[in-house]
Amino acid sequence: MEYNFREIEKKWQKRWVEEKTYQVKEDETKQKYYVLNMFPYPSGAGLHVGHPLGYIASDIYARYKRLQGFNVLNPMGYDAYGLPAEQYAIQTGQHPAITTINNIDCYREQLDKIGFCFDWSREIRTCEPEYYHWTQWAFQKIFNSYYCNDEKQARPIEELIQAFEQIGTNGMNVACGEELSFTAEEWKAKSEKEKQEILMNYRIAYLGETMVNWCAQLGTVLANDEVIDGVSERGGFPVVQKKMRQWCLRVSAYSQRLLDGLDTIDWTDSLKETQRNWIGRSEGAEVQFKVKDSDLEFTIFTTRADTMFGVTFMVLAPESELVAQLTTPEQKDEVNAYLERTKKRTERDRITDRSVTGVFSGSYAINPFTGEAVPIWISDYVLAGYGTGAIMAVPAHDSRDYAFAKHFGLEIRPLVEGCDVSEESFNAKEGIVCNSPIVNKGTREQGDKANSNQLVNSSTCQLNLNGLTIKEAIEKTKNYVKEHNLGRVKVNYRLRDAIFSRQRYWGEPFPVYYKDGMPYMIDESSLPLELPEVAKFLPTETGEPPLGHATKWAWDTVNKCVVENEKIDNVTVFPLELNTMPGFAGSSAYYLRYMDPHNNKALVDRKIDEYWRSVDLYVGGTEHATGHLIYSRFWNKFLYDVGVSIVEEPFQKLVNQGMIQGRSNFVYRIKDSNKFVSLNLKDQYDTIPLHVDVNIVSNDILDLEAFKAWRPEFANAEFILEDGKYICGWAVEKMSKSMFNVVNPDMIVEKYGADTLRMYEMFLGPVEQSKPWDTNGIDGVYRFIKKFWSLFYDRNGSYIVTDEPATKEELKSLHKLIKKVTGDIEQFSYNTSVSAFMICVNELFSLKCSKKEILNQLVIVLAPFAPHVCEELWDTLGHADSVCDAKWPAYNEEYLVEDTINYTISFNGKARFNMEFPADETSEAIQSTVLADERSAKWMEGKSVVKVIVVPKKIVNIVIK
């Protein structure tokens, strides 16, 4: 019987569906294991060979755990909302739902061909009302909660209202937008609208004014990762910073818990560090600065209040409300021009770009420690969302402040004895403090380069840090700030609240209506609030989001249903929210829904949640480190607080797969002609390299007829060949359509089979590393599977498996493999597993081994990697059940003990031949035997032996001269 992968793969894919091989139910008799891939977005382009990399890696692990006896949950679904489908709708008029369904159908067909063990009975799509019902439900819970800092958890907003009615804000320690102060009597005297506005300051889901990335052409707010170099990733349209009233999630309230949780999960150190840096915990002090010649004052946050004596200027974020208040008439035009320029840069751009820009406001602040007036500047290296949006600049000891001071000619005042700040700032973490204070102090105007001994005396501050260590100075300054009411000691976080609104159509509707301008939730019993039909997918002419086109988008509070807009009376019928939720809304708790996808009573049944608990293995890209992986952890912690999620951390182990890059091919056209010259002859001509479709190139050899048919302009192409072939050039680049290097996995499956594709993707290199796709090596994997097949069938197709007992050599080869692959799978070192399979099969082939005792276990070990061929051969071996339900074999160390050792025999360090010796042979016996061997005589002829070195179980080196 010949290895016919097409028939075999279709047969088993069909049988897996018919027999529901991969459907799983809760089973208290088995230990659970939950494997999950990051939600894919079904794009119109479908899959290329890079996309399945993580899916194959997780599929191997899922199959392995099942073979170990675990009850494995391995679901799949689609993050189905997205801007691409909406843009396509704008261009073509086709509803995004149709585009999305078509794309999903294409994705599903491609995924099925690769043979994944997904439980498709649990498939979810974020765009379906049955699913986003629970996204809306969760949003309502978040809206109706506040965060108690004392209890370190979300609590019902009703508790806060009761507290306000009894004691006002007295003794409150809760997460909020700004510190408010009022008595119980003042609260009771407020109107309903005033109360709702105050509560918005405390709700975890709230409406707030915030800076956003606004793209006018797309008519929506974009996330930072959707903006590249000031333009939208989708379409390349200009993006500017704009202040808008948006729905936000108070993710910042969970900052410390997000940090603490990292210590409880098995993620890579680099990814944890990325999240720690993104959350950005810092301990310091908030200090008040007065504005010179004004009643205004403002607060800055600093982690190093001990460096106050080195402040030589202040910097405001361009978005700060202080900018308008502190800009003098003389500076107004210059400041406005600068603000206009900074609108085009995202916060991420501003964090990563180290170029120096800024403008002087015209105002000065009074340093509360020194009494000096220091200039207030505006620069985009300060972010409004971190601290207070204003900083004190200490250029001698901060690299960005230093660069700014150098650029604009501002004073740099060192505060550590002996530090050199002539070329760069000095990291003031250790040392002895000086100039704190300097002997003479006074007023310093912008650009004044006078040196310190020209300043006049001041008695503003009684604090003296001179002579202290840095550590002592920090502690003394914190105490001084508290004792003299200059500010307060505080822990700050860089993590900002998440913007949760998008001005687009294709997204989850908010279950919100507006009464007197304030948001209210529709009844929970009326969920889901379904996305309405609209005539256009663009914003309205008055600038409202696309839902503004809906004619039936009002909420009847009496009948609890959606009604026509014309019925709005703002008495019982009110307008509904026109924004939709962002992409991350649907992917924040999807892992819980997979546990119980058809439950119409709850997000997840508690008993089911108690069984599956959390994801044991999560696989996806590192690009989600500061987006999805922050938001989903926040979302889950909230659900944990309200008793829905059983565990606080959703993803226990995370593996980041690398990227498969494209291997581009090039042809070389002779200038001003339609003639193409082969790679090794191109230097003889003046040529232009052109990308060519890699699918018409095999082993870098161009299919000439396919090339002529590829594009009309090449129909009459001529070629200068080498040895009758056209050899293409190549380079490793990002896989993209424009470079014609996209390889469709369907083509690989059609030519070599899914098992070959699966094994080859793993063979390319470690899962977590990026590597180029190179079809040149795929033949070797295909030949391996055919050789594996030949252990069962001879060249005539006859079944040759026997019941003979295995030999010691055969058992050694098998158990060596079992040990290697077991360890490799646990470490995700699949590439070395594939090499081990090849070695083992070659050894068994050389031993002419076709024994059932060996092949039974070999099939089981290979099954996670090549499930189709292993199912076929498992069936052939006479097993009634699927190989998926076999038992993973344990290796026996007794079979791995070496009876003989192969020694390399060297002369003066050069290997000449090899000899076998018993494993327990003595060094003296080995030396004698080697010297007596006739092959040694050849290399020692005419020379004397200086010494013989025997390295046990490795090498014998004979030194001669």
Side-chain angles (χ1 to χ4, degrees):
M1 182 178 174
E2 186 183 359
Y3 172 54
N4 187 330
F5 62 81
R6 292 186 183 90
E7 286 185 8
I8 291 169
E9 291 175 1
K10 285 179 183 175
K11 168 186 172 181
W12 286 101
Q13 287 167 10
K14 183 171 181 286
R15 190 179 293 189
W16 289 332
V17 173
E18 291 171 348
E19 297 180 358
K20 300 180 180 179
T21 304
Y22 302 130
Q23 283 194 27
V24 63
K25 292 189 171 92
E26 296 72 40
D27 184 348
E28 295 293 344
T29 67
K30 286 186 174 182
Q31 189 177 346
K32 69 92 184 182
Y33 199 89
Y34 187 173
V35 176
L36 185 62
N37 294 279
M38 287 188 184
F39 239 2
Y41 172 74
S43 71
L47 296 172
H48 63 60
V49 291
H51 293 127
L53 177 69
Y55 304 158
I56 295 170
S58 64
D59 193 73
I60 290 171
Y61 204 84
R63 291 174 180 276
Y64 164 71
K65 296 304 283 188
R66 179 168 172 173
L67 288 164
Q68 286 190 317
F70 287 83
N71 190 28
V72 178
L73 175 58
N74 184 22
M76 178 54 76
Y78 303 97
D79 195 4
Y81 279 128
L83 199 53
E86 184 157 348
Q87 279 304 105
Y88 190 71
I90 291 169
Q91 294 161 8
T92 65
Q94 179 169 287
H95 197 285
I98 297 172
T99 305
T100 301
I101 289 169
N102 291 341
N103 292 350
I104 286 175
D105 289 344
C106 175
Y107 255 59
R108 175 63 187 273
E109 184 180 352
Q110 289 186 291
L111 290 170
D112 284 346
K113 286 179 180 176
I114 302 173
F116 294 114
C117 63
F118 296 135
D119 181 355
W120 285 109
S121 70
R122 296 172 180 264
E123 177 187 339
I124 55 178
R125 302 178 182 186
T126 55
C127 63
E128 292 181 342
E130 296 80 10
Y131 179 80
Y132 66 67
H133 174 158
W134 301 106
T135 308
Q136 293 176 338
W137 171 86
F139 175 78
Q140 289 190 336
K141 293 291 183 188
I142 297 170
F143 176 81
N144 287 318
S145 300
Y146 75 100
Y147 193 85
C148 177
N149 291 328
D150 289 331
E151 296 187 35
K152 294 183 174 58
Q153 66 170 188
R155 302 296 303 166
I157 198 75
E158 290 80 8
E159 291 182 4
L160 190 64
I161 294 171
Q162 289 174 8
F164 288 162
E165 290 176 346
Q166 294 170 9
I167 58 173
T169 56
N170 184 40
M172 287 288 170
N173 183 20
V174 298
C176 58
E178 62 176 310
E179 299 285 348
L180 300 179
S181 177
F182 52 81
T183 64
E185 289 68 29
E186 287 171 331
W187 167 261
K188 292 173 185 175
K190 294 183 185 298
S191 67
E192 171 64 18
K193 183 176 182 179
E194 288 173 329
K195 288 180 179 179
Q196 290 301 320
E197 286 174 339
I198 289 172
L199 290 174
M200 199 64 71
N201 186 56
Y202 300 98
R203 295 183 187 274
I204 299 179
Y206 65 94
L207 277 173
E209 292 282 336
T210 183
M211 295 301 297
V212 297
N213 302 316
W214 174 251
C215 181
Q217 279 88 336
L218 294 177
T220 189
V221 169
L222 298 176
N224 280 330
D225 54 10
E226 294 174 314
V227 183
I228 299 173
D229 296 330
V231 298
S232 62
E233 182 182 34
R234 182 78 182 178
F237 302 118
V239 175
V240 297
Q241 294 281 295
K242 180 179 179 181
K243 186 168 276 192
M244 293 179 67
R245 189 164 169 80
Q246 298 281 302
W247 280 106
C248 299
L249 300 181
R250 209 177 299 280
V251 180
S252 59
Y254 284 79
S255 294
Q256 190 58 50
R257 283 172 63 186
L258 288 167
L259 278 175
D260 294 342
L262 292 173
D263 295 329
T264 69
I265 51 182
D266 183 11
W267 293 14
T268 62
D269 290 340
S270 60
L271 188 59
K272 286 184 179 182
E273 193 60 24
T274 297
Q275 287 215 346
R276 288 191 184 103
N277 291 336
W278 190 257
I279 296 166
R281 185 183 195 276
S282 51
E283 296 182 21
E286 284 187 341
V287 182
Q288 293 291 117
F289 276 73
K290 296 186 184 215
V291 178
K292 183 185 177 189
D293 302 327
S294 167
D295 293 331
L296 286 172
E297 61 180 19
F298 59 94
T299 304
I300 62 94
F301 174 80
T302 176
T303 59
R304 295 291 302 275
D306 60 298
T307 62
M308 290 276 289
F309 294 102
V311 174
T312 57
F313 58 98
M314 313 290 289
V315 188
L316 304 177
E319 306 85 6
S320 170
E321 293 177 357
L322 290 167
V323 170
Q325 298 172 340
L326 299 182
T327 299
T328 60
E330 297 81 10
Q331 291 295 111
K332 188 172 183 181
D333 289 345
E334 195 176 343
V335 168
N336 287 342
Y338 181 74
L339 297 181
E340 193 62 35
R341 290 198 301 274
T342 61
K343 282 182 182 178
K344 299 172 184 175
R345 307 184 71 205
T346 67
E347 284 196 358
R348 184 167 292 180
D349 292 336
R350 288 159 58 179
I351 291 169
T352 56
D353 184 7
R354 292 282 170 171
S355 58
V356 178
T357 65
V359 63
F360 178 48
S361 70
S363 294
Y364 295 82
I366 304 299
N367 186 328
F369 278 33
T370 68
E372 294 177 86
V374 294
I376 302 172
W377 287 70
I378 301 155
S379 177
D380 63 5
Y381 80 90
V382 178
L383 304 176
Y386 180 65
T388 63
I391 68 159
M392 61 178 213
V394 186
H397 305 294
D398 180 274
S399 59
R400 296 202 78 164
D401 294 348
Y402 183 90
F404 194 90
K406 279 285 190 182
H407 187 82
F408 289 106
L410 302 169
E411 185 196 357
I412 299 171
R413 184 185 299 167
L415 301 175
V416 178
E417 288 183 4
C419 71
D420 180 6
V421 292
S422 59
E423 299 294 332
E424 62 182 357
S425 61
F426 179 81
N427 187 347
K429 289 187 177 179
E430 292 183 353
I432 302 300
V433 177
C434 66
N435 291 332
S436 301
I438 52 177
V439 177
N440 298 302
K441 305 184 288 280
T443 300
R444 184 172 303 283
E445 300 294 329
Q446 179 210 1
D448 182 1
K449 302 265 182 87
N451 68 55
S452 57
N453 59 15
Q454 296 174 306
L455 300 177
V456 296
N457 282 329
S458 168
S459 58
T460 302
C461 177
Q462 303 306 313
L463 180 66
N464 189 333
L465 305 177
N466 293 326
L468 298 180
T469 65
I470 296 292
K471 189 175 180 180
E472 292 167 341
I474 291 173
E475 201 57 38
K476 187 172 182 179
T477 308
K478 278 185 184 177
N479 294 333
Y480 185 86
V481 168
K482 282 192 289 187
E483 290 166 5
H484 291 77
N485 296 318
L486 295 174
R488 60 173 180 162
V489 175
K490 186 183 177 185
V491 174
N492 206 23
Y493 300 91
R494 186 178 292 113
L495 181 66
R496 283 175 288 287
D497 292 342
I499 298 169
F500 201 65
S501 300
R502 295 292 185 270
Q503 293 67 43
R504 63 190 187 205
Y505 172 75
W506 193 232
E508 296 92 339
F510 282 94
V512 173
Y513 67 90
Y514 284 88
K515 176 183 174 183
D516 198 15
M518 296 304 295
Y520 290 81
M521 299 294 116
I522 71 170
D523 296 82
E524 185 179 314
S525 61
S526 301
L527 297 177
L529 177 66
E530 296 192 25
L531 198 61
E533 295 296 322
V534 293
K536 294 180 181 177
F537 301 107
L538 287 164
T540 67
E541 292 179 0
T542 55
E544 293 174 323
L547 287 184
H549 290 294
T551 57
K552 187 179 180 181
W553 197 236
W555 187 250
D556 185 331
T557 56
V558 175
N559 297 304
K560 299 180 181 179
C561 63
V562 177
V563 297
E564 291 76 12
N565 293 4
E566 61 194 31
K567 294 183 179 178
I568 294 173
D569 59 10
N570 290 312
V571 178
T572 61
V573 180
F574 302 93
L576 284 160
E577 172 66 73
L578 300 182
N579 289 307
T580 53
M581 297 184 193
F584 71 82
S587 61
S588 289
Y590 72 117
Y591 87 93
L592 284 168
R593 192 61 181 167
Y594 275 138
M595 296 178 186
D596 195 12
H598 308 298
N599 188 338
N600 59 9
K601 304 290 186 188
L603 170 62
V604 58
D605 179 83
R606 185 158 186 91
K607 188 175 180 182
I608 291 174
D609 191 12
E610 284 174 346
Y611 179 76
W612 294 112
R613 300 185 67 81
S614 64
V615 176
D616 297 288
L617 172 65
Y618 198 32
V619 179
T622 55
E623 67 272 17
H624 300 291
T626 57
H628 162 67
L629 288 173
I630 290 281
Y631 300 140
S632 57
R633 292 182 64 220
F634 151 76
W635 198 282
N636 189 75
K637 286 176 186 294
F638 172 81
L639 292 176
Y640 175 78
D641 287 351
V642 297
V644 174
S645 180
I646 296 298
V647 294
E648 190 165 346
E649 286 293 338
F651 314 119
Q652 292 306 304
K653 182 178 179 65
L654 177 65
V655 171
N656 297 125
Q657 88 274 11
M659 182 172 61
I660 290 186
Q661 300 159 305
R663 188 181 187 276
S664 304
N665 279 115
F666 298 90
V667 291
Y668 303 92
R669 183 167 61 189
I670 299 174
K671 277 189 178 178
D672 303 321
S673 77
N674 203 23
K675 186 176 285 188
F676 296 82
V677 58
S678 188
L679 172 67
N680 298 308
L681 303 175
K682 69 180 178 66
D683 291 343
Q684 301 173 26
Y685 303 87
D686 188 6
T687 61
I688 299 172
L690 301 174
H691 282 90
V692 63
D693 188 347
V694 295
N695 295 297
I696 59 174
V697 179
S698 178
N699 293 324
D700 293 331
I701 298 172
L702 180 67
D703 183 329
L704 302 182
E705 294 307 314
F707 179 75
K708 289 181 180 181
W710 178 42
R711 286 162 62 174
E713 63 265 36
F714 299 148
N716 299 315
E718 299 177 43
F719 304 94
I720 299 175
L721 310 176
E722 47 184 307
D723 298 327
K725 298 174 183 176
Y726 189 98
I727 310 297
C728 295
W730 64 274
V732 174
E733 301 175 301
K734 182 180 178 182
M735 200 170 278
S736 72
K737 288 181 182 178
S738 63
M739 296 174 185
F740 305 107
N741 61 3
V742 172
V743 179
N744 188 325
D746 295 1
M747 297 178 68
I748 303 297
V749 170
E750 175 60 28
K751 187 173 181 181
Y752 297 101
D755 288 337
T756 297
L757 172 67
R758 291 168 62 99
M759 293 197 73
Y760 185 58
E761 291 223 1
M762 296 300 97
F763 191 47
L764 285 171
V767 171
E768 68 278 6
Q769 291 182 10
S770 292
K771 51 261 181 188
W773 176 265
D774 184 357
T775 315
N776 294 344
I778 202 166
D779 287 318
V781 175
Y782 180 60
R783 287 195 302 271
F784 156 73
I785 294 179
K786 290 180 73 175
K787 181 174 275 192
F788 170 61
W789 182 269
S790 73
L791 298 178
F792 296 78
Y793 294 94
D794 64 17
R795 291 182 180 178
N796 300 318
S798 299
Y799 185 63
I800 56 174
V801 177
T802 71
D803 291 323
E804 294 176 28
T807 66
K808 198 169 187 180
E809 290 82 1
E810 292 163 347
L811 287 167
K812 178 182 174 183
S813 182
L814 172 67
H815 284 261
K816 187 170 58 175
L817 175 74
I818 296 170
K819 182 178 182 179
K820 173 67 175 165
V821 174
T822 301
D824 282 352
I825 290 179
E826 291 290 354
Q827 299 299 320
F828 292 86
S829 299
Y830 297 144
N831 56 317
T832 54
S833 284
V834 176
S835 298
F837 282 124
M838 292 176 174
I839 292 167
C840 179
V841 168
N842 283 337
E843 289 174 350
L844 294 176
F845 187 81
S846 299
L847 294 167
K848 296 183 172 51
C849 175
S850 292
K851 295 168 182 173
K852 196 170 185 178
E853 182 184 351
I854 298 294
L855 298 183
N856 258 330
Q857 296 189 67
L858 178 58
V859 168
I860 296 170
V861 178
L862 183 60
F865 294 79
H868 304 89
V869 68
C870 289
E871 283 280 25
E872 179 68 19
L873 294 173
W874 186 251
D875 187 59
T876 301
L877 287 166
H879 300 282
D881 296 329
S882 166
V883 71
C884 296
D885 296 317
K887 183 179 179 182
W888 186 262
Y891 61 87
N892 188 333
E893 286 284 0
E894 291 180 10
Y895 296 133
L896 303 181
V897 176
E898 299 283 355
D899 291 330
T900 61
I901 304 295
N902 187 287
Y903 281 82
T904 299
I905 313 303
S906 300
F907 293 83
N908 287 346
K910 292 186 178 180
R912 298 303 183 184
F913 55 90
N914 291 71
M915 294 181 71
E916 292 275 344
F917 290 95
D920 58 355
E921 189 72 282
T922 64
S923 295
E924 292 78 12
I926 291 171
Q927 177 177 324
S928 300
T929 306
V930 170
L931 291 175
D933 192 279
E934 60 183 22
R935 289 171 293 181
S936 297
K938 171 186 171 185
W939 298 105
M940 295 189 299
E941 187 176 354
K943 298 186 172 116
S944 59
V945 176
V946 177
K947 63 178 174 178
V948 179
I949 303 168
V950 178
V951 180
K953 300 185 179 181
K954 289 186 178 180
I955 192 171
V956 178
N957 184 38
I958 302 166
V959 182
I960 54 177
K961 73 172 187 177

